[in-house]
Amino acid sequence: MATVKIKFRVSSIETKEGTLYYQVIHNRLVRQVHSGYKLYSSEWDSGCSRVILSPGIEEGRKGYLLSVKTALSKELSRLKEVIARLEHAGIPYTADKVVELYTSPTDCGGFIAFAWKLIGDLKLIGKGRTAETYTAALNSFVRFHGERDLLFEEVDSNLMVQYETYLKGNAICPNSSSYYMRNLRAIYNRAVERGLTEQCTPFKYVYTGVDKTVKRAVPLKTIRQIRDIDLTFNPTMDYARNLFMFSFYTRGMSFVDMAYLKKKDLQNGVLSYRRQKTGQLLFIKWEKPMQEIIDKYDTSGTPYLLPIIKDMEMDARRQYKNSAHLVNDKLKKLGERLGLGIPLTAYVARHAWASIARSKNIPLSTISEAMGHDSEYTTRIYLASLDTSVVDKANSLILKSL
């Protein structure tokens, strides 16, 4: 096992300060790492490797020596941590490797430190959604592993299998587990691209696919119940119900797309918007029940159609996420109140519209067009599509059934 000590090199000029450095020894190979700190010979105890604070020392010098003492303790611990992690990884290493990891700009070359730095960089360049998905995956992994950083060599298939077992033991469904694994793999691959580690395929034995899930659809009868229930004395739940119904009325529009709808998107009885997920441009014929919901709220102080993003001085995405959390919480309680067999969320409106449309014998191609599905490539967005009048007729048929 490598050893590390703090050493003092006396200046060749008697009246000048000497320098402090760290000495790393492994397999008889000696390497030095400069600390950047300088002391006089009288201020260093070579036998005990510690700073000497002489009585009567002037305050300015005393403050400097105390700061050196603190820094040396932290940096020595950091070097020992690097050595401990190399030993724990069970891989051959050299004194040069210890020095390389200690001086790495990614805080000892650790996987977790690199991931946090990557997330910060993504936020700076406007990749907020990617940063959020990476953050969710990393937080889950840290709950499993703890805050201690990992060498990239420690991120191996055994560790990922242990992590997958941990997720299963905490009742995390396969799709959620896969979601975390795919994002961690993306972070790892970015480190490979930057030459911070070699590709060792640590995710080859864990599940990274997408299972078909049971559709969270409810029948037309339940949609009527949700629409007609009296929520006069519960305005927050009424707000959540109205947004749920607006989503259903607009062919299962996703909550994020609803949040960013602007008044200018409604022109001549047609609502147009681009899906946040795919960029696909969709057109919806404006129907009476949609207008009835809009009329319930005062949005005169914003350019938005719905009262989701309300404060122009605050971050729009944060407001959308907070509102989505509130709406889903209230919908869950509404679902329990109605005795539904599945958790009621905003996304149920999308599944319900598709399921009910199919029960009305509306062609799958029409349903796909109506919901803006894009299962292959983004370039399909620009290809010829169905006549929107067919989609509008499908939506009108469903709304008249209510």
Side-chain angles (χ1 to χ4, degrees), residues 106-324:
T106 57
D107 187 21
C108 304
F111 172 73
I112 293 175
F114 168 77
W116 285 125
K117 185 177 184 304
L118 174 61
I119 288 167
D121 291 343
L122 289 169
K123 290 178 180 177
L124 287 175
I125 62 174
K127 300 288 186 180
R129 294 185 70 180
T130 303
E132 286 176 7
T133 59
Y134 285 2
T135 299
L138 190 57
N139 280 335
S140 170
F141 182 74
V142 168
R143 284 193 292 273
F144 153 73
H145 173 72
E147 296 289 343
R148 182 183 71 83
D149 207 348
L150 282 160
L151 298 175
F152 283 104
E153 290 84 354
E154 292 179 272
V155 182
D156 57 18
S157 57
N158 287 334
L159 180 66
M160 289 303 123
V161 168
Q162 291 171 21
Y163 174 46
E164 186 177 57
T165 302
Y166 160 84
L167 293 174
K168 289 178 181 177
N170 283 272
I172 303 299
C173 71
N175 276 347
S176 294
S177 174
S178 175
Y179 170 82
Y180 294 143
M181 292 296 183
R182 293 197 307 272
N183 281 290
L184 290 174
R185 182 177 62 188
I187 294 170
Y188 179 86
N189 287 342
R190 291 200 183 216
V192 173
E193 290 170 2
R194 297 184 189 186
L196 298 176
T197 185
E198 294 182 2
Q199 179 60 264
C200 296
T201 59
F203 300 89
K204 61 184 175 181
Y205 297 124
V206 296
Y207 181 65
T208 56
V210 179
D211 274 353
K212 290 184 177 180
T213 57
V214 176
K215 297 302 181 183
R216 297 180 178 180
V218 292
L220 196 60
K221 177 184 176 181
T222 301
I223 297 295
R224 288 197 191 100
Q225 284 182 296
I226 295 170
R227 180 195 63 184
D228 296 336
I229 188 171
D230 185 2
L231 298 173
T232 304
F233 298 106
N234 195 330
T236 309
M237 189 174 287
D238 184 51
Y239 166 77
R241 183 266 305 277
N242 290 335
L243 292 182
F244 177 92
M245 292 305 303
F246 187 88
S247 172
F248 183 83
Y249 294 150
T250 53
R251 311 189 315 232
M253 187 184 296
S254 68
F255 195 86
V256 65
D257 291 331
M258 288 166 53
Y260 288 96
L261 283 178
K262 292 189 174 180
K263 293 164 187 171
K264 66 179 182 180
D265 296 332
L266 179 57
Q267 301 278 345
N268 301 317
V270 176
L271 181 65
S272 61
Y273 73 99
R274 285 192 181 276
R275 289 199 68 203
Q276 293 278 326
K277 185 176 181 180
T278 65
Q280 186 170 356
L281 181 63
L282 298 177
F283 299 92
I284 300 176
K285 180 184 176 184
W286 195 246
E287 299 278 0
K288 182 181 176 182
M290 303 172 193
Q291 186 63 48
E292 289 174 348
I293 289 177
I294 296 299
D295 290 341
K296 291 181 179 182
Y297 302 97
D298 179 12
T299 58
S300 57
T302 78
Y304 296 103
L305 195 61
L306 290 163
I308 298 173
I309 301 171
K310 305 174 185 178
D311 191 336
M312 295 301 96
E313 301 299 319
M314 293 178 61
D315 180 71
R317 185 160 181 81
R318 183 178 293 275
Q319 291 182 72
Y320 141 66
K321 289 177 71 70
N322 288 343
S323 183

Side-chain angles (χ1 to χ4, degrees), residues 72 79 186 191 194 225 235 321 350 386 401:
L72 290 175
L79 265 166
R194 297 184 189 186
Q225 284 182 296
K321 289 177 71 70
R350 185 169 176 81
L386 294 174
S401 299

Side-chain angles (χ1 to χ4, degrees), residues 7 10 23 29 34 39 41 45 81 86 113 124 126 159 161 196 198 211 278 281 323 388 400:
K7 294 288 187 176
V10 180
Q23 183 185 76
L29 186 65
H34 294 290
L39 301 175
S41 297
D45 184 340
E81 173 71 7
L86 284 167
L124 287 175
L159 180 66
V161 168
L196 298 176
E198 294 182 2
D211 274 353
T278 65
L281 181 63
S323 183
T388 57
K400 287 175 183 177

Side-chain angles (χ1 to χ4, degrees), residues 4-5 22-24 33 74-84 98-99 102 108:
V4 57
K5 296 179 180 179
Y22 304 103
Q23 183 185 76
V24 179
V33 182
K74 288 183 179 179
E75 292 176 7
L76 185 63
S77 294
R78 190 167 158 231
L79 265 166
K80 289 180 177 179
E81 173 71 7
V82 170
I83 293 168
V98 174
V99 173
Y102 173 75
C108 304

